[in-house]
């Protein structure tokens, strides 16, 4: 068989193992020209790595008498094809480093697998071709066409981050290949009882968060491994120390009773690995191949907000999918926030805010009602929400603050139950509204007025009543004495009048 046909067979096998390959050549002479590789139907923003496998030293493409002279490259691919290398059994190498294909066509797929694994092993220090000119044009169907130019003539492997099949044209230095596979995608959401699927939500400490991940299946990719990780402040829901997990799809077949039956992985078609803050799901290809491009794998699981959650900070749950030859989708995350509500108790001395300790409050969720009272665990003047807590009354500390932690956005009512000694208790309650802004941070309103993030509660001193020995009683005595003297004067005048 002529060498060019053997090379073409190798390249075709490369396609079947989710890589792209092409042979770039000129008409005749020595390798003193450059060519290009154009990838049509490419996925936008996907990465294509181009590796030069063999050097084309010279060639003669006279019709009916084609001849090509390939040699080993001087980089890591030399060790790949050399003695003891993964590609040694596929080619013959003479003492001048010229290469001849010696295996059968059916061995080409194995060579392709070995070449891809070799390129991806960082210990082999394989690098893609550098300093290429890349041009990209957009297609009407949302795909792009990518052209890499400035390639020396030779034999190339083009590794796609989507593991695509391709068609080749090796009779021209300007080769064209077509991307036929599509990338799987992943979307991470939280199920909110009121709003449906959301990217973020607020929660009380102890609240259950329901996560949903949708994996949209791509065409041609294999080896799906799902990864999920939660941050401190979240804890997976477990049943008998096992992750509470539900895996479904939107793919249906006709069951034995002639009714639609959902395609789901059996227990043997996925494997779960769980640690404290992350888990992986490895799906068998036997399950993935039951699905078609565009079908969804839907993964549902729960986590709880724990007492060590950071306040006012995103508690992230991050997910991504590995597939194909260790390619990776973009990471997606859904965020949970639990908030702190600072309350500052103070009085005014002249115009200066002066902190007050010893004020006591109760907090209600919504309106003031004994059934709506919010309970806490306490540590000094810091109160952390606990549905089963025993603390209902909150007291301002020496810094004047009541620090309320671990609550979701919503409307609350603050009631002062005891004023600091010498101060008047508040007559009216305070309505506190906590909103989540678009960036996840909080906004606090006090009686519908904006705050700087702190609810301020002003107390005034009580009126000073007269005391024994003070001016107040002296005035009383003087007034009383004057009244007595006046009464006596009037009485004496009446007696004189009668005597006359």
């Amino acid at each position: 068989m002529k060498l060019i046909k053997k090379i073409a067979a190798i390249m075709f096998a490369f396609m079947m193992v989710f890589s792209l390959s092409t042979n770039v050549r000129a008409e005749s002479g020595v390798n003193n020209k450059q060519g290009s590789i154009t990838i049509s139907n490419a996925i936008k923003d996907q990465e294509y790595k181009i590796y030069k496998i063999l050097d084309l030293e010279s060639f003669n493409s006279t019709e009916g008498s084609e001849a090509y002279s390939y040699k080993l490259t001087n980089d890591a691919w030399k060790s790949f094809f050399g003695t003891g290398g993964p590609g040694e059994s596929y080619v013959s190498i003479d003492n001048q480093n010229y290469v001849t294909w010696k295996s059968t066509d059916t061995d080409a797929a194995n060579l392709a697998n070995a070449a891809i694994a070799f390129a991806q092993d960082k210990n082999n220090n394989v690098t893609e071709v550098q300093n290429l000119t890349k041009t990209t044009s957009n297609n009407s169907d949302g795909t792009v066409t990518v052209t890499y130019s400035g390639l020396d003539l030779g034999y190339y492997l083009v590794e796609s981050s989507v593991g695509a099949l391709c068609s080749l044209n090796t009779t021209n230095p300007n080769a064209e290949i077509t991307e036929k596979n599509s990338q799987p995608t992943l979307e991470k959401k939280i199920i909110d009882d009121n709003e449906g699927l959301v990217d973020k939500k607020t929660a009380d400490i102890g609240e259950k968060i329901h996560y949903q991940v949708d994996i949209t299946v791509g065409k041609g990719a294999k080896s799906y491994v799902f990864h999920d990780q939660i941050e401190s402040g979240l804890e997976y829901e477990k049943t008998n120390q096992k992750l509470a997990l539900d895996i479904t799809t939107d793919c249906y077949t006709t069951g034995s009773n002639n009714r639609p039956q959902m395609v789901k992985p059996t227990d043997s078609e996925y494997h779960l690995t769980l640690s404290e803050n992350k888990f992986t799901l490895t799906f068998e290809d036997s399950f993935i191949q039951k699905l078609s491009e565009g079908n969804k794998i839907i993964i549902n699981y729960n986590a709880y907000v724990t007492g060590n959650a950071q306040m006012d900070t995103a508690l992230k749950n991050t997910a991504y999918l590995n597939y194909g030859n260790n390619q990776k989708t973009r990471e997606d995350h859904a965020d949970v926030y639990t908030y702190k509500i600072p309350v500052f108790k103070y009085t005014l001395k002249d115009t200066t805010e002066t902190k007050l300790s010893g004020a006591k409050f109760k907090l209600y969720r919504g309106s003031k009602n004994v059934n709506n009272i919010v309970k806490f665990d306490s540590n000094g003047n810091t109160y952390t929400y606990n549905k089963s807590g025993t603390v209902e009354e909150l007291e301002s500390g020496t810094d004047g603050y009541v620090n309320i932690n671990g609550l979701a956005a919503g409307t609350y009512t603050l009631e002062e139950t005891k004023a600091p000694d010498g101060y008047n208790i508040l007559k009216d309650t305070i309505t506190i509204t906590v909103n989540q802004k678009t960036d996840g941070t909080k906004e606090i309103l006090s009686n519908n007025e904006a705050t700087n993030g702190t609810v301020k509660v002003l107390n005034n001193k009580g009126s000073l009543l007269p005391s024994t020995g003070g001016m107040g009683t002296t005035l009383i005595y003087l007034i009383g004495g004057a009244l007595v003297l006046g009464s006596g004067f009037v009485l004496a005048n009446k007696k004189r009048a009668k005597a006359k």
Side-chain angles (χ1 to χ4, degrees), residues 340-346 355-363 376-384 391-405 407 414-416 418 432 442 444 453-457:
K340 175 180 180 178
I341 306 174
V343 176
F344 180 58
K345 185 67 174 177
Y346 73 103
K355 59 193 176 185
L356 292 176
S357 62
K360 294 184 179 181
F361 302 90
K362 287 185 178 181
L363 187 70
F376 299 90
D377 294 329
S378 64
N379 182 10
N381 64 328
T382 296
Y383 298 87
T384 301
V391 177
E392 296 183 355
E393 201 164 46
L394 320 176
E395 184 173 352
S396 61
T398 55
D399 60 357
Y401 276 92
V402 175
N403 298 305
I404 302 172
N405 288 346
L407 291 176
L414 184 69
E415 175 194 23
E416 186 173 46
K418 179 184 179 302
I432 300 173
K442 71 186 178 188
I444 296 180
T454 298
V455 177
K456 291 187 174 182
V457 182

Side-chain angles (χ1 to χ4, degrees), residues 278-335:
K278 61 184 177 181
F279 73 91
T280 61
L281 286 172
T282 303
F283 293 100
E284 295 292 329
D285 286 344
S286 59
F287 164 63
I288 301 300
Q289 289 165 359
K290 295 176 184 177
L291 308 175
S292 301
E293 180 182 13
N295 282 148
K296 292 183 183 296
I297 302 171
I298 304 161
I299 307 171
N300 285 271
Y301 49 97
N302 302 318
Y304 290 96
V305 181
T306 67
N308 64 348
Q310 297 249 346
M311 299 297 106
D312 305 334
T313 301
L315 307 174
K316 291 185 180 295
N317 180 287
T318 303
Y320 65 91
L321 180 75
N322 282 127
Y323 63 96
N325 293 302
N326 204 34
Q327 287 97 20
K328 178 182 175 182
T329 64
R330 70 175 181 87
E331 293 184 354
D332 198 13
H333 59 86
D335 301 339

Side-chain angles (χ1 to χ4, degrees), residues 63-81:
E63 185 175 356
S65 181
E66 295 179 338
Y68 297 85
S69 180
Y70 285 91
K71 294 187 71 172
L72 293 177
T73 59
N74 290 320
D75 56 14
W77 291 106
K78 186 173 183 178
S79 62
F80 173 80
F81 286 108

Side-chain angles (χ1 to χ4, degrees), residues 25-80:
R25 43 156 276 191
E27 294 179 354
S28 62
V30 295
N31 186 359
N32 56 5
K33 294 184 179 181
Q34 290 188 324
S36 66
I37 298 175
T38 297
I39 306 170
S40 61
N41 199 41
I43 307 300
K44 188 176 181 180
D45 298 328
Q46 293 307 306
E47 178 184 9
Y48 294 88
K49 294 182 180 180
I50 299 177
Y51 302 95
K52 190 177 185 182
I53 304 297
L54 298 171
D55 287 330
L56 177 59
E57 185 176 82
S58 63
F59 56 90
N60 186 332
S61 58
T62 302
E63 185 175 356
S65 181
E66 295 179 338
Y68 297 85
S69 180
Y70 285 91
K71 294 187 71 172
L72 293 177
T73 59
N74 290 320
D75 56 14
W77 291 106
K78 186 173 183 178
S79 62
F80 173 80

